[in-house]
Amino acid sequence: MDFETHWIPTAGPFETIMNNNLLLDVDNLSTRFHIAEGTVYAVNGVSFTLNECESLAVVGESGCGKSVTMLSLMGLIPIPPGEIASGQAHYRGRDLLKLSENELEHLRGKEIAMIFQDPMTALNPVLSIERQLREPLRVHLGMDENASRNRAIELLELVGIPDAPSRIKAYPHQFSGGMRQRAMIAMALSCTPTLLIADEPTTALDVTIQAQITELVKRLRDELGMAIIWITHDLGVVAGLAERVLVMYSGFIVEEAPVENIYEDPRHPYTQALLAALPRIDRRRHDRLKSIPGAPPNLLIEPKGCPFAARCELVIERCRHENPKLELVAPRHSIACWMDVNTGKPR
């Protein structure tokens, strides 16, 4: 089987960028978890779209609902205690939230793939890398033993693992953290998915390996023409990776904009606070990093007003009682805030 024939798309990077066909349309997604302590309001009315071949970053601190949103779309929320309380998620015209488990199994891995945050727990420790790589090839593409093994070796070579023919026999514990993450990426790419969801894939890795994994995903995106959703809590990672950014807080999208607008003209107080907390090379030696005061809201309490009100420097009384909707403030730039951060006055 010719690897190049099956892997490199006919459209180049320029055609990829110009492709504006809608791939995913999520509308009013809400996810709850019913536990002994009460109901956890994890995701609250999230709506967004994704075009074919587009790169979208979803940013926010831990617990803001980034991963739960994507796991909900993939049908990976355990029910119970989880519950998809509302919403639609149309992928190429099919509502993912209404598909049966059998239909989702045929979709996951083949058309929509996910790289999980911790490869040590995502990979099966008692199965070899080869067996785990060959399984989706056998299930989704119907490859025989010889063809699937050859493709598995090509996949490891594609993600930069040296001496792939011999390393493929190894078990996850015999790989370093960076190599395990590369193996996870290879597994996700095995069936050439249309959409790749990367759930903080560099969090557990050192800085050098983080940069290598990020560059690897960027290169594969350009070569294979995939759409990518990159989940991260680090705004510093997305500058060269994403075309558009969603900023999430406490289960809500509070800002959506092209990546350059997020850095040059952030309009939500939370986005501004995240950017202020980033280390900068032009920061004076004795300047301290800024932190966001307070703590995230308790997700066991149903949200009423703006979720960021208790930590916001621009808060007004309306913020405590009424949650603003996501509204356009500039072309392709939306925020959920009652205030104008540039003037410090209500909009």
Side-chain angles (χ1 to χ4, degrees):
M1 182 173 293
D2 183 2
F3 180 77
E4 296 294 330
T5 301
H6 289 267
W7 274 89
I8 304 301
T10 56
F14 179 75
E15 290 83 0
T16 292
I17 293 172
M18 296 302 291
N19 190 339
N20 290 320
N21 294 326
L22 183 65
L23 179 67
L24 179 66
D25 184 2
V26 179
D27 181 39
N28 195 35
L29 174 65
S30 296
T31 303
R32 309 280 184 257
F33 291 94
H34 304 287
I35 60 175
E37 293 81 1
T39 297
V40 177
Y41 295 88
V43 177
N44 304 295
V46 164
S47 300
F48 66 93
T49 60
L50 180 73
N51 291 330
E52 291 184 359
C53 307
E54 184 183 15
S55 296
L56 175 69
V58 184
V59 178
E61 59 194 89
S62 297
C64 72
K66 307 182 300 295
S67 298
V68 173
T69 297
M70 301 309 155
L71 291 172
S72 299
L73 301 182
M74 296 281 286
L76 296 176
I77 295 294
I79 301 175
E83 176 197 11
I84 308 298
S86 68
Q88 298 177 323
H90 287 98
Y91 169 80
R92 290 182 163 174
R94 304 170 69 190
D95 189 350
L96 297 175
L97 305 182
K98 293 183 178 178
L99 296 183
S100 66
E101 181 60 28
N102 186 55
E103 290 172 317
L104 284 170
E105 286 179 358
H106 282 87
L107 197 67
R108 288 193 296 253
K110 185 177 182 181
E111 294 190 47
I112 304 176
M114 192 163 184
I115 305 170
F116 295 95
Q117 183 171 348
D118 184 1
M120 196 59 196
T121 56
L123 292 170
N124 191 321
V126 300
L127 299 180
S128 68
I129 297 295
E130 177 181 4
R131 181 169 175 182
Q132 296 183 67
L133 276 172
R134 288 170 59 182
E135 183 174 2
L137 298 172
R138 178 183 58 80
V139 172
H140 293 302
L141 302 182
M143 288 188 177
D144 60 26
E145 183 174 347
N146 188 53
S148 63
R149 186 176 190 279
N150 290 337
R151 176 67 72 88
I153 292 171
E154 290 168 344
L155 285 164
L156 289 188
E157 292 173 343
L158 180 73
V159 298
I161 292 183
D163 194 19
S166 61
R167 298 308 302 270
I168 199 171
K169 297 290 187 182
Y171 287 80
H173 74 274
Q174 295 174 304
F175 274 20
S176 66
M179 290 178 68
R180 283 196 294 268
Q181 196 59 279
R182 288 172 186 268
M184 279 290 300
I185 294 172
M187 193 180 304
L189 297 177
S190 59
C191 299
T192 323
T194 308
L195 170 59
L196 178 67
I197 301 173
D199 186 5
E200 303 204 44
T202 62
T203 297
L205 307 176
D206 63 57
V207 175
T208 303
I209 304 301
Q210 283 184 15
Q212 292 176 2
I213 295 297
T214 303
E215 288 301 315
L216 170 64
V217 173
K218 288 167 60 177
R219 175 173 64 83
L220 295 175
R221 174 199 63 190
D222 294 337
E223 290 180 359
L224 305 178
M226 300 177 296
I228 291 180
I229 298 177
W230 186 282
I231 303 170
T232 181
H233 63 273
D234 185 359
L235 267 171
V237 171
V238 304
L241 182 71
E243 300 160 27
R244 189 159 51 95
V245 180
L246 302 179
V247 181
M248 289 191 67
Y249 185 79
S250 189
F252 295 91
I253 294 176
V254 296
E255 185 159 10
E256 176 183 357
V259 65
E260 60 270 14
N261 290 30
I262 289 292
Y263 288 97
E264 296 173 4
D265 186 26
R267 297 290 190 94
H268 195 280
Y270 177 61
T271 310
Q272 288 189 331
L274 285 179
L275 288 168
L278 285 176
R280 298 173 57 97
I281 59 173
D282 60 350
R283 193 184 300 275
R284 293 182 180 180
R285 184 174 182 180
H286 299 293
D287 287 350
R288 296 175 63 88
L289 289 175
K290 293 184 179 179
S291 61
I292 304 175
N298 185 350
L299 296 181
L300 287 168
I301 301 174
E302 185 175 2
K304 298 295 184 184
C306 172
F308 193 60
R311 308 174 73 184
C312 182
E313 296 178 353
L314 299 178
V315 64
I316 58 175
E317 191 60 29
R318 186 181 188 183
C319 303
R320 303 185 191 279
H321 305 288
E322 191 177 350
N323 195 1
K325 295 181 179 179
L326 204 63
E327 295 181 344
L328 278 172
V329 291
R332 300 177 62 209
H333 195 154
S334 301
I335 62 169
C337 186
W338 298 121
M339 302 296 290
D340 185 329
V341 295
N342 294 321
T343 65
K345 299 179 180 179
R347 291 194 294 117

